[in-house]
Amino acid sequence: MATRLVVSNRAPAPLCRSLRLRGTARCSSTAATTPPAKTQTLLSTTKKSPLSRLPTVSLVRSLVLTQFMSSPLLMKPALPLLHFIAKSKMALFNPDRNPVLKRLLRWTIYDHFCAGENLREVTKTVSNIKQMGYQGVILNYAKEIVLDAKEAGAEGHAGDYAPPFYEMVDLWKKGNIETLHMLAPGDFLAVKITGAGPIAVDAMRARAPIPDVIRKALDEMCDEAKKQGSRLWIDAEQQALQPQLDEWTIDLMRRHNRENRPLVYNTIQSYLKASKANAERHVALAAREGWSLGVKLVRGAYIENEVRSLIHDTKEDTDRNFDDIADMFISQRLPGGQAEGGRREFPASALFLATHNAASSVAAIANHRRRLLEGRPTTDLECGQLLGMADELSCELLDNYDSCLTDSGLKRDAIPKPFKYLPWGTVSECMGYLHRRAVENKGAVEQSSHMLGSLKSELRRRVFG
């Protein structure tokens, strides 16, 4: 009988112990604990695996890819090859111009991690995801620019540009508006600013004010998102670009997050040593200036493109930092030691936990639920994982949501909703994203090993009963 994800009124630690029995990551939350209370199980123990929600095609593909990515021997040549294809300017290695390469990539990785190349394919994927029980999707037009180490270290210059560069911005804007029109109320548009091309990239590198053409494009996206009841978040970039992007996004939130429910979210990467201070700065500014704060909290995805000294020395440090930032929002801790109930209140906020770490998810959900049941203030909380990754955790969060609807005593809107992040675009446009996913899977050997066992068990159950 499988041990399932359980969320209770207890402190997070016992929950993480139950997860460790299943082989998942250790809990490293720094959230304050409270005396034990009566446990209220949100997910009952059952013989049915969470992965029973997965379609068989997705299950088999996930098993094959997880097996492949668990092999250092296979990943050693695969990663440089993916990086080469993502950066190559040669027509032979452009999947959009080489039908054989395109078919190979679609069959192996694209169809597993991406939503599709056009409206028809994306609409079908979104429909399938929501039929599984997900309460929403995050859709991202995946076109982007990733700088190599030499480019990231070069001095940036912002200035005048020829008409084709402005056409690039216009195409990027149209791609994102098209993406918005694929979304339903409550869904997210994930925006990659580097997709706008050199006008945006050069300005971020030069720490320059946001170019008017970029500002107007983002304002148009925000207005369109608000009109249809969707939301928008700005995806993270490399540290060569992110500091200035933070300034641009804060300005965007100042102007568009004028209601209690944020329209615009910024992304904070907890693997960066400066991320806690950055999160506190966001909170302090929102509290002082009176706008609502939306934050998507991730661990990080650019480790191979960053200056190593900017990143926490160990995974455990990153885990602790992630949990501490999450707890700051959930427990409404103002920077500078101002506790809840002080003269300055924690700003209206929403936190989206974009994590594949089960321990972090359980700790945050438990703390959030405890505060709701105690009638204490907390943030709006939602969780999500990337398409094609962490499916066992995603399916457990789906089970958790369904169970909460029936027996938690909480209002529907207060229950953390499960989402899936879906990138879309041509195979060539998605190559940078796909390369980062391969790197991320390579670094999660222990989780991959556990996932392999779960996938094999579920497949055996379907075949042999």
Side-chain angles (χ1 to χ4, degrees), residues 27-98:
C27 176
S28 55
S29 173
T30 57
T33 59
T34 58
K38 181 181 178 181
T39 299
Q40 295 188 19
T41 301
L42 298 189
L43 284 180
S44 59
T45 303
T46 176
K47 293 181 180 179
K48 204 169 186 181
S49 163
L51 291 171
S52 61
R53 289 178 178 263
L54 276 184
T56 300
V57 171
S58 298
L59 179 72
V60 172
R61 185 187 287 126
S62 184
L63 176 59
V64 172
L65 281 172
T66 304
Q67 184 79 62
F68 183 95
M69 292 179 178
S70 299
S71 169
L73 186 64
L74 294 174
M75 288 298 286
K76 189 173 182 179
L79 286 175
L81 180 59
L82 283 175
H83 182 262
F84 175 77
I85 294 172
K87 301 291 285 186
S88 178
K89 306 297 183 184
M90 299 171 60
L92 179 64
F93 295 102
N94 183 337
D96 295 341
R97 300 174 67 181
N98 181 337

Side-chain angles (χ1 to χ4, degrees), residues 330-346:
I330 294 169
S331 298
Q332 306 279 276
R333 290 189 283 113
L334 279 169
Q338 287 183 278
E340 60 180 274
R343 282 190 298 174
R344 180 177 293 169
E345 294 183 353
F346 200 91

